[in-house]
């Protein structure tokens, strides 16, 4: 299969990987766009490159010669071929596209893990997270930036406890991922809804009125 045919198949699989029920729409949390490029395969495969590689990785390919690109693409294809039978199935390609687009989550977790696992025991306790995140600001009753850090800490603690399945206030990497990115986990959906309500319900009456909703939409640039 030549590169053009491969990319045509990739385009079809990208559409399959993105297909989701239209009845249910997330209000605040959204998955990142596969690409900011126009999806028009008649003009170019740039959109598919971003979907397949991830936008940042795709940029590095732009600097490679055709031979170098082909060699690196071959290495990536070997990773996609989960059963190592020498062929890439539609399901394997869909899984890879999803992985490529979730890579930013894994990278964010790894970065924050290093900064919060203070005793390097392979776990992050609430105390470690609190001290690393809020330790230097909690003693300042009137911070210059205007944020209410104590209120933010209470909110973070509530989310941390929700992510911490066994209730020991010590997070594994999976639990820490759920804490940082609750929209990715079904058991965290209640906290996502609660935090969204708190963000939009400015008068704290337990309801979202039209003015609050429109105000939030205007703040987000109309993104829904």
């Amino acid at each position: 299969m030549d590169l053009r045919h491969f990319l045509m198949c990739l385009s079809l699989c990208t559409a399959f990987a993105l297909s989701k029920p239209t009845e249910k729409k997330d209000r605040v949390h959204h998955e990142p766009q596969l690409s900011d490029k126009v999806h028009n395969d008649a003009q170019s495969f740039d959109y598919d490159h971003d979907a397949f590689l991830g936008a940042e990785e795709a940029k590095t390919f732009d600097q490679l010669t055709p031979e170098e690109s082909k060699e690196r693409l071959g290495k990536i294809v070997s990773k996609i071929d989960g059963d190592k039978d020498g062929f890439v199935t539609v399901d394997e390609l869909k899984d890879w596209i999803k992985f490529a687009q979730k890579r930013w989550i894994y990278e964010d977790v790894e970065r924050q893990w290093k900064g919060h696992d203070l005793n390097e025991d392979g776990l992050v306790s609430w105390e470690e997270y609190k001290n690393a995140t809020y330790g230097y600001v909690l003693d300042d009753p009137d911070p210059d930036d205007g944020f209410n850090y104590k209120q933010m800490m209470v909110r973070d603690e509530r989310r941390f406890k929700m992510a911490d399945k066994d209730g020991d206030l010590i997070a594994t990497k999976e639990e820490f991922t759920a804490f940082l990115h609750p929209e990715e986990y079904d058991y965290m959906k209640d906290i996502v809804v609660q935090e969204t309500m708190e963000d939009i319900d400015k008068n704290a009456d337990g309801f979202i009125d039209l003015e609050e909703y429109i105000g939030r939409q205007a703040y987000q640039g109309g993104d829904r």
Side-chain angles (χ1 to χ4, degrees):
M1 180 184 294
D2 62 29
L3 185 58
R4 180 175 177 80
H5 286 155
F6 179 81
L7 290 172
M8 290 177 68
C9 292
L10 171 61
S11 178
L12 292 174
C13 290
T14 301
F16 282 123
L18 287 175
S19 61
K20 294 182 177 180
T22 58
E23 295 82 5
K24 185 176 181 180
K25 296 181 180 179
D26 292 330
R27 172 60 185 80
V28 170
H29 293 273
H30 302 275
E31 294 181 358
Q33 294 292 321
L34 290 177
S35 174
D36 58 3
K37 299 181 176 66
V38 176
H39 193 188
N40 186 343
D41 293 333
Q43 296 181 358
S44 76
F45 291 111
D46 289 344
Y47 181 97
D48 302 304
H49 283 160
D50 286 0
F52 180 64
L53 300 168
E56 292 303 316
E57 184 70 15
K59 291 177 183 178
T60 67
F61 268 73
D62 294 340
Q63 312 301 320
L64 302 177
T65 65
E67 291 77 16
E68 291 171 332
S69 296
K70 186 175 181 179
E71 180 182 358
R72 186 176 294 188
L73 184 61
K75 293 178 180 178
I76 293 175
V77 168
S78 68
K79 295 179 181 178
I80 301 172
D81 181 17
D83 57 11
K84 306 303 178 185
D85 64 352
F87 297 92
V88 174
T89 66
V90 171
D91 286 340
E92 287 172 335
L93 195 51
K94 286 165 61 178
D95 289 342
W96 174 263
I97 292 172
K98 290 177 182 178
F99 167 77
Q101 300 311 310
K102 298 293 185 185
R103 188 178 298 165
W104 69 277
I105 292 178
Y106 306 139
E107 291 174 350
D108 178 53
V109 171
E110 287 298 327
R111 177 179 59 81
Q112 296 212 43
W113 185 265
K114 293 176 182 177
H116 291 97
D117 182 14
L118 302 181
N119 60 6
E120 299 183 348
D121 64 348
L123 300 166
V124 173
S125 68
W126 167 247
E127 287 299 316
E128 284 180 310
Y129 181 83
K130 181 179 70 173
N131 291 334
T133 305
Y134 297 105
Y136 69 99
V137 295
L138 290 179
D139 294 332
D140 185 356
D142 188 23
D144 294 335
D145 54 19
F147 284 108
N148 186 334
Y149 287 103
K150 289 186 177 179
Q151 186 177 14
M152 291 171 62
M153 186 182 72
V154 169
R155 180 164 160 154
D156 271 355
E157 184 176 10
R158 182 182 63 195
R159 189 198 287 189
F160 193 97
K161 288 179 177 178
M162 178 72 75
D164 177 29
K165 285 186 171 182
D166 58 9
D168 61 357
L169 288 181
I170 299 175
T172 64
K173 185 166 286 188
E174 186 70 13
E175 290 171 335
F176 193 63
T177 304
F179 166 68
L180 294 176
H181 299 280
E183 68 278 5
E184 300 296 323
Y185 291 81
D186 286 341
Y187 79 97
M188 296 292 289
K189 286 184 177 179
D190 286 347
I191 202 72
V192 172
V193 172
Q194 184 175 356
E195 290 179 2
T196 301
M197 282 288 297
E198 291 171 352
D199 288 342
I200 303 175
D201 181 20
K202 297 303 183 182
N203 61 10
D205 65 350
F207 298 92
I208 296 175
D209 59 35
L210 182 60
E211 184 177 345
E212 289 171 330
Y213 180 81
I214 293 175
R216 179 69 178 194
Q217 291 294 85
Y219 175 77
Q220 293 186 325
D223 184 21
R224 286 189 246 183

